[in-house]
Amino acid sequence: MKVTKPTRPAISSRLFAPLLLLIVLAILFWRSFLPGYVHFSNDGPLGMQMADWLHLPSGFKGMWYDLNSIGANSGQASPDFISIVRWILGPVGYSKFLAPISLWILGLSAWFCFRQMRFTSIAAILGGIAAMLVSTSFSDACWGVASHEIAIGMDFCALGLFAGNSFEPSALRRWLRLALAGAAIGMNVIEAADIGAILSVFVALFIFFKSVTEEDSSVPLRAGRGVLRVAVVAIFAGFIALQTVLNLVGTGIQGVSGMGQDAESKARNWDYATQWSLPKKETLGLIVPGLFGYRLDTPKDMMPALQDAYQGGNYWGGIGRAPAIDRYFDSGEKGTPPPGIMRFSGTGEYVGIFVMLVAIWAIAQSFRRPNSAFSPPQRKFIWLCAAVLIFSLLMSWGRFFPALYGAFYQLPYASTIRNPAKFLIVFAFATVLLFGYGIHGLSKQYLQTDGVPSEFGKWWSRVRGFDRKWTIFSALAVIISLLAWFVYISLEPKLIAYLKTVGFSEEGFAKEIASFSAGQIGWFVLFFALSVGLVVLVIAGVFAGKRARLGGILLGALLIADLGRANLPWIVHWDYKQKYEVGSLNPIVKFLAQKPYEYRVAYGVPAPLTTPSDFNLFSQLWGIEWLQQIFPYYNIPTLDKIQMPREPVDLEAFENTLRLGIKADENGRLMIDQSTFPRVNRFWELTSTRYLLGPAPYLDLYNSELDPQKHRYHIVQRFSVTLKPGVEQFHQRLEELTAVPNDNGEYALFEFTGALPRAKLYTDWETNSAADLKDFSTNGLSADDLYIYNETGPNGFLTLKKLASPSFDPHKTVLLDQPLPEGNPSASTNENSGSVDFMAYPSADPKLKDQKNDIWKKNGVCYAPTDMILAANAVTPSVLLLNDKYDPNWKAYLDGKQVPIFRANFIMRGVFVPAGQHTVEFKFELPLRPLYISTAGVALAILLIVVLIFLRNKPQSPAQK
């Protein structure tokens, strides 16, 4: 059989693949083009994109998350694709098109990689489509972490740049391509942080392996070249990713609870770090889409025409389940069920039936000695991909395969990686590479030939060896899958019974989920049979020669149909004007949106208390819609955490000291320790939490249990939860609900007049004496107190205990972590400490007259998350307390001159202010040198691309040819 030599594609054919990828995505995301609609995002919804703390370009200097808890260092915006897209498109455009843009970059990068490997055109195009549509990537982008997909795309680019060096005669161009591969790896780390770091290790392995196996020289020389090439890539990657690495360490490791590298910290952090592991049985979800459901609320917000078909598609697996719950099930459900979430999965694992079948064919074909579709170096690379495939799958099992993941967990800083299921991204990466090899082998061996198309019957009568065995085993696999489907259907009653034990107690709901799951296996059998049949027809030569284009079209259509159908539940759009009440904001939130920088808001049922069932509706509305969506949209700061997977040590200690206690009654049952109710009052007091929202009857609880002496809680407005204007029927969607004032409403907006103002002057301040610190003993401390002591030291521990003491008055005295150089001249003799407020904007101060700040202008005062100015009028020398979290990257300027910031009340910020009128400016800025280095790296990469484009190879003479 004669194989035709691939020809260099024309410019028009080079545009075909990018356009095809765009068309596929445009069809899938067509609702993004509708006015008023944005795409769903869990991790970065439109409400969050509207928040001031994400404002660009100021975010390049540093970002302070002022809406979350008492504030958090969120690092710096990086010179990456995500930041540029958000800056250019704005919040709404970003929310509409980020997912398809990121997927297009991924598909385009994979296509580029396979072209650089000199794969056939059909292999490069289908490989790009597969990379873009495998659910591991597609669902991830749709969930709101599209930066991961851009990172994977950069890895494909890096691999393609290096692989193309095998066909590059120019030494200079080879080194330029290697440097660009390093730049791509650096961008991968910028976009995906720890996931990017994991992927970069595997790309480095591919580069080293390819260097060792594909060149003709001694093994030591090949290994040396491989190490050198990896080093060059690492240097350029580090050059670009420096800023991100420093941000990752500074905000995600240093000072973060559970990130210690000692054996005790690692053991304590095991459950947290491995909670998002892939249960072994859910490995079937890699080839059976929807077997365990899709999103937790599928088919909510899907296209209306599809919702009936996906009823019962709720996720019912165990990803994200609290390990304590699994241990409870494993013990036979003995004792009291432990607290924790039952499941939480935001992404799919499906890599495609057709994709996996072709990948398996490539692996099997690589072991075929005579008449193999692959060269010896290609076979070795396929084996490496297969090894990575298996390894990454085992790693994704995490705590369900402790023999492997436990060993990895002991490596330095491996315990800081929270999500073992992240390794499925590596699994999908290796699978797409194998798929590309498989399509290349199929098209080269059976499509791009000079032979005439065969008839299947005649082919079968003469075929022998590998092709015959593959056909027989494939047909048997289809028959077995069909039988497995019938068995699964027969087990539906057992599945329904199981579902009732894991959170789906309603009979009808459990039956609906079980029926949907069985139906997904039916779809699997159908697409599996079609995939097997089409591959066999290709092997039989039915699409050889002139029919090759038809064969490629059918392969592409099957690929898109398989993955496209499986991905439909992840394509969710919101009517954002209705969701965020644009132009129709309810009076309760509108009240809170006035001067939100002066206070914080919290849900009025403090953990571990639970909301009574009669009031659950607003509890859900608060936790899902208001806290995560509405409040960020209108820049309302809340004490309740929106997202904080890695909690700082000092914040954890502060909260643990002031939380409600739990004790055992005489029967050993756990209950709330009512003597600790005043702690909650003190917590809200110290954090400037002035407003609460919750059940109206809780007013008596607040004044009798939390604040029994001063009764400083009162109701501002009672309200009811009802349908939004224009919504005629409730479809069990929380975004259809709003709040309306009602004097007899079930819920209330409470005001706590005892909350400290956001900023306050003190004439009396205290520090722990040297004698107290020296004589302090840990003897007799409870386990909880001992943990806090170990995390904070004696100074911090004593400060926390004073803060929690009923005898301490936070309105009169502030606690500092160290004595002020000026001493305490007032010694609390003057209770009139003066006044402090945020400076009005525009200011009459000549120094500030020409300053421009869009956020200041919007607020009407000099307040922005990373830059605020206070006007202080101190009667006597005072300490200015700002009730925002302390961070060493904050700088304070008293009348334009930098002054030190002290820890006040253990975790807040304090500045000494002399008597008189002063301006005090707080600015949050991270070191800019890493940003400059990374930006320079990006600029260098762009320059190298331009040089590589124009530095073409010299044409070879006829004699050289």
Side-chain angles (χ1 to χ4, degrees):
M1 184 180 293
K2 183 179 178 181
V3 179
T4 59
K5 184 178 180 180
T7 58
R8 189 175 183 83
I11 293 178
S12 59
S13 64
R14 293 180 190 174
L15 294 177
F16 174 74
L19 288 175
L20 177 61
L21 297 177
L22 275 177
I23 291 170
V24 171
L25 289 171
I27 293 172
L28 291 172
F29 289 92
W30 66 271
R31 287 209 294 172
S32 288
F33 296 94
L34 298 178
Y37 279 86
V38 295
H39 192 270
F40 162 89
S41 175
N42 181 77
D43 287 30
L46 175 60
M48 190 61 71
Q49 302 308 319
M50 295 292 291
D52 290 342
W53 73 272
L54 274 174
H55 184 265
L56 292 175
S58 60
F60 290 110
K61 295 181 179 180
M63 297 184 294
W64 184 259
Y65 195 176
D66 65 328
L67 306 182
N68 202 19
S69 182
I70 55 174
N73 180 351
S74 292
Q76 290 170 291
S78 301
D80 56 9
F81 287 97
I82 292 292
S83 298
I84 299 303
V85 170
R86 181 156 53 89
W87 196 2
I88 293 175
L89 296 184
V92 174
Y94 177 87
S95 298
K96 281 176 171 287
F97 299 113
L98 177 63
I101 287 173
S102 66
L103 290 168
W104 183 71
I105 291 173
L106 171 55
L108 198 62
S109 300
W111 170 73
F112 167 80
C113 175
F114 293 133
R115 284 190 68 238
Q116 292 296 303
M117 290 179 170
R118 298 297 193 269
F119 282 5
T120 60
S121 295
I122 184 62
I125 293 172
L126 294 190
I129 294 174
M132 184 176 75
L133 295 185
V134 291
S135 294
T136 309
S137 297
F138 193 93
S139 65
D140 199 39
C142 291
W143 187 248
V145 280
S147 58
H148 296 170
E149 282 54 65
I150 297 175
I152 302 169
M154 293 302 99
D155 292 312
F156 274 114
C157 285
L159 198 57
L161 284 163
F162 179 72
N165 274 348
S166 300
F167 312 96
E168 183 64 70
S170 168
L172 177 58
R173 285 175 59 89
R174 287 198 297 270
W175 284 107
L176 287 176
R177 293 169 68 95
L178 197 61
L180 277 174
I185 294 297
M187 288 300 298
N188 145 72
V189 175
I190 287 179
E191 294 287 355
D194 57 344
I195 291 177
I198 293 171
L199 284 165
S200 65
V201 171
F202 286 97
V203 174
L205 175 63
F206 288 143
I207 290 174
F208 178 79
F209 184 85
K210 195 172 180 64
S211 299
V212 171
T213 59
E214 291 193 2
E215 297 181 6
D216 296 328
S217 59
S218 64
V219 173
L221 183 58
R222 282 180 283 166
R225 287 175 180 168
V227 170
L228 177 61
R229 289 164 180 168
V230 170
V232 170
V233 168
I235 290 171
F236 275 85
F239 185 26
I240 286 183
L242 176 64
Q243 178 204 18
T244 298
V245 172
L246 294 178
N247 280 343
L248 182 63
V249 173
T251 63
I253 296 178
Q254 291 180 349
V256 175
S257 176
M259 295 296 106
Q261 294 303 292
D262 57 284
E264 181 181 353
S265 296
K266 288 186 175 183
R268 186 171 57 247
N269 197 48
W270 171 259
D271 277 1
Y272 173 81
T274 61
Q275 184 170 344
W276 266 259
S277 299
L278 178 71
K280 294 178 183 177
K281 65 182 180 181
E282 293 190 41
T283 303
L284 288 171
L286 293 167
I287 57 172
V288 185
L291 177 62
F292 296 91
Y294 288 94
R295 303 187 335 160
L296 293 174
D297 57 1
T298 297
K300 179 179 176 291
D301 292 322
M302 287 181 64
M303 286 180 281
L306 297 173
Q307 291 190 15
D308 289 342
Y310 285 89
Q311 288 294 335
N314 311 74
Y315 177 66
W316 56 273
I319 295 178
R321 180 172 297 160
I325 295 178
D326 272 329
R327 290 193 288 268
Y328 170 73
F329 287 144
D330 293 342
S331 69
E333 302 183 33
K334 297 178 181 178
T336 304
I341 62 175
M342 183 63 70
R343 63 186 56 83
F344 193 91
S345 177
T347 56
E349 294 76 48
Y350 182 60
V351 295
I353 299 165
F354 179 54
V355 171
M356 184 56 73
L357 178 68
V358 173
I360 294 172
W361 180 88
I363 295 172
Q365 180 74 203
S366 70
F367 289 98
R368 180 180 182 181
R369 294 302 180 186
N371 302 319
S372 175
F374 305 114
S375 65
Q378 288 177 330
R379 290 204 299 266
K380 293 175 183 177
F381 195 79
I382 288 172
W383 297 338
L384 175 63
C385 290
V388 169
L389 195 79
I390 295 171
F391 175 78
S392 56
L393 176 61
L394 298 179
M395 287 291 288
S396 72
W397 290 349
R399 61 189 172 92
F400 301 111
F401 192 45
L404 179 61
Y405 198 83
F408 167 78
Y409 186 79
Q410 297 305 319
L411 296 175
Y413 292 102
S415 60
T416 65
I417 299 174
R418 184 186 181 194
N419 188 341
K422 290 175 179 177
F423 281 91
L424 287 176
I425 294 176
V426 181
F427 179 91
F429 182 72
T431 303
V432 171
L433 284 172
L434 288 169
F435 173 75
Y437 270 101
I439 294 295
H440 173 66
L442 285 170
S443 58
K444 188 180 73 170
Q445 191 91 332
Y446 304 108
L447 294 179
Q448 294 186 353
T449 69
D450 292 334
V452 296
S454 302
E455 293 182 13
F456 181 80
K458 293 181 179 179
W459 169 80
W460 183 247
S461 65
R462 67 174 185 271
V463 69
R464 296 293 182 271
F466 177 88
D467 289 346
R468 189 177 186 89
K469 292 177 182 178
W470 172 265
T471 304
I472 292 173
F473 282 119
S474 298
L476 288 174
V478 172
I479 294 172
I480 292 172
S481 67
L482 183 62
L483 294 175
W485 182 31
F486 293 148
V487 172
Y488 192 75
I489 292 174
S490 69
L491 295 175
E492 183 173 301
K494 292 185 177 180
L495 177 57
I496 293 172
Y498 168 77
L499 290 171
K500 290 180 179 179
T501 67
V502 292
F504 303 98
S505 56
E506 185 183 338
E507 175 79 20
F509 193 18
K511 187 173 182 179
E512 192 174 57
I513 291 174
S515 177
F516 179 84
S517 180
Q520 296 309 293
I521 297 183
W523 280 106
F524 161 78
V525 173
L526 173 62
F527 276 99
F528 186 33
L530 291 174
S531 300
V532 167
L534 187 55
V535 169
V536 169
L537 290 177
V538 170
I539 293 173
V542 174
F543 301 107
K546 295 180 179 180
R547 293 184 186 173
R549 178 172 293 183
L550 174 61
I553 292 173
L554 291 176
L555 290 171
L558 178 60
L559 176 66
I560 294 171
D562 175 22
L563 292 171
R565 186 201 70 84
N567 286 329
L568 290 176
W570 301 107
I571 306 172
V572 171
H573 286 84
W574 287 332
D575 179 344
Y576 78 88
K577 292 184 178 180
Q578 181 194 72
K579 186 176 186 68
Y580 295 105
E581 303 186 21
V582 179
S584 59
L585 185 61
N586 69 79
I588 304 301
V589 176
K590 185 179 290 187
F591 174 86
L592 296 173
Q594 300 173 6
K595 299 182 179 181
Y597 46 83
E598 292 184 348
Y599 52 79
R600 292 186 176 89
V601 184
Y603 184 57
V605 184
L609 290 177
T610 57
T611 303
S613 58
D614 292 346
F615 302 95
N616 268 339
L617 184 60
F618 178 71
S619 172
Q620 296 175 35
L621 183 66
W622 163 267
I624 296 175
E625 287 298 309
W626 285 24
L627 182 63
Q628 300 184 51
Q629 306 288 340
I630 298 286
F631 279 21
Y633 191 97
Y634 295 100
N635 285 286
I636 300 172
T638 63
L639 185 64
D640 298 357
K641 297 186 188 69
I642 300 173
Q643 283 190 1
M644 192 177 289
R646 293 179 172 89
E647 186 168 1
V649 170
D650 54 356
L651 180 60
E652 180 189 47
F654 182 71
E655 292 176 335
N656 285 348
T657 301
L658 298 171
R659 68 182 178 185
L660 284 175
I662 299 176
K663 66 178 182 180
D665 63 11
E666 60 275 7
N667 298 318
R669 292 174 298 185
L670 296 179
M671 58 181 294
I672 299 296
D673 184 354
Q674 294 189 0
S675 67
T676 63
F677 271 120
R679 292 183 187 174
V680 178
N681 189 75
R682 180 59 53 85
F683 183 49
W684 290 338
E685 193 173 27
L686 293 171
T687 55
S688 302
T689 304
R690 185 173 177 180
Y691 293 104
L692 307 168
L693 290 144
Y698 269 52
L699 180 63
D700 291 337
L701 171 71
Y702 297 152
N703 285 322
S704 62
E705 299 290 347
L706 273 63
D707 196 27
Q709 302 298 323
K710 299 181 180 180
H711 301 88
R712 290 172 290 181
Y713 294 88
H714 72 272
I715 290 178
V716 177
Q717 177 67 65
R718 293 180 72 136
F719 62 91
S720 296
V721 174
T722 186
L723 295 176
K724 289 180 178 178
V727 179
E728 298 179 355
Q729 183 179 357
F730 184 44
H731 301 92
Q732 304 302 315
R733 298 175 181 174
L734 292 172
E735 62 265 32
E736 296 174 331
L737 302 175
T738 189
V740 294
N742 182 350
D743 291 340
N744 297 311
E746 311 95 308
Y747 311 103
L749 168 64
F750 303 93
E751 182 178 18
F752 173 40
T753 59
L756 290 174
R758 191 76 175 270
K760 178 175 171 58
L761 291 175
Y762 288 84
T763 60
D764 182 35
W765 56 89
E766 296 179 2
T767 58
N768 295 312
S769 67
D772 289 339
L773 296 175
K774 181 179 180 181
D775 297 338
F776 181 78
S777 172
T778 59
N779 293 333
L781 291 182
S782 67
D784 289 343
D785 280 349
L786 188 59
Y787 174 74
I788 294 174
Y789 172 82
N790 290 333
E791 294 291 336
T792 63
N795 194 16
F797 181 80
L798 288 176
T799 299
L800 286 171
K801 288 305 175 184
K802 286 183 182 179
L803 287 173
S805 171
S807 62
F808 176 72
D809 187 350
H811 289 267
K812 292 184 177 181
T813 305
V814 62
L815 303 180
L816 303 181
D817 68 332
Q818 56 184 295
L820 295 183
E822 295 82 0
N824 188 346
S826 60
S828 71
T829 58
N830 189 343
E831 292 189 3
N832 180 18
S833 57
S835 62
V836 57
D837 294 291
F838 289 102
M839 181 174 287
Y841 181 83
S843 171
D845 189 330
K847 296 179 182 178
L848 303 174
K849 188 175 181 180
D850 296 328
Q851 280 192 249
K852 295 181 179 180
N853 188 311
D854 293 340
I855 301 176
W856 286 2
K857 183 177 181 180
K858 181 183 68 174
N859 288 329
V861 296
C862 297
Y863 176 85
T866 57
D867 189 1
M868 60 196 75
I869 301 178
L870 295 155
N873 182 15
V875 176
T876 63
S878 306
V879 167
L880 189 158
L881 169 70
L882 182 65
N883 281 313
D884 281 356
K885 187 179 182 300
Y886 174 87
D887 186 281
N889 293 292
W890 278 98
K891 304 293 186 294
Y893 300 88
L894 180 68
D895 299 327
K897 182 181 179 181
Q898 187 172 348
V899 293
I901 296 178
F902 300 92
R903 277 186 178 268
N905 286 348
F906 178 75
I907 201 169
M908 306 300 184
R909 303 197 293 272
V911 170
F912 178 78
V913 179
Q917 294 185 352
H918 305 279
T919 61
V920 181
E921 183 172 12
F922 289 90
K923 295 188 73 172
F924 179 77
E925 289 186 354
L926 294 171
L928 295 179
R929 182 173 297 177
L931 173 64
Y932 294 152
I933 293 174
S934 293
T935 303
V938 173
L940 177 60
I942 295 173
L943 178 61
L944 291 179
I945 292 173
V946 173
V947 171
L948 196 61
I949 291 173
F950 287 97
L951 187 65
R952 298 185 180 277
N953 290 316
K954 294 181 180 180
Q956 294 177 311
S957 66
Q960 290 174 318
K961 293 181 180 179

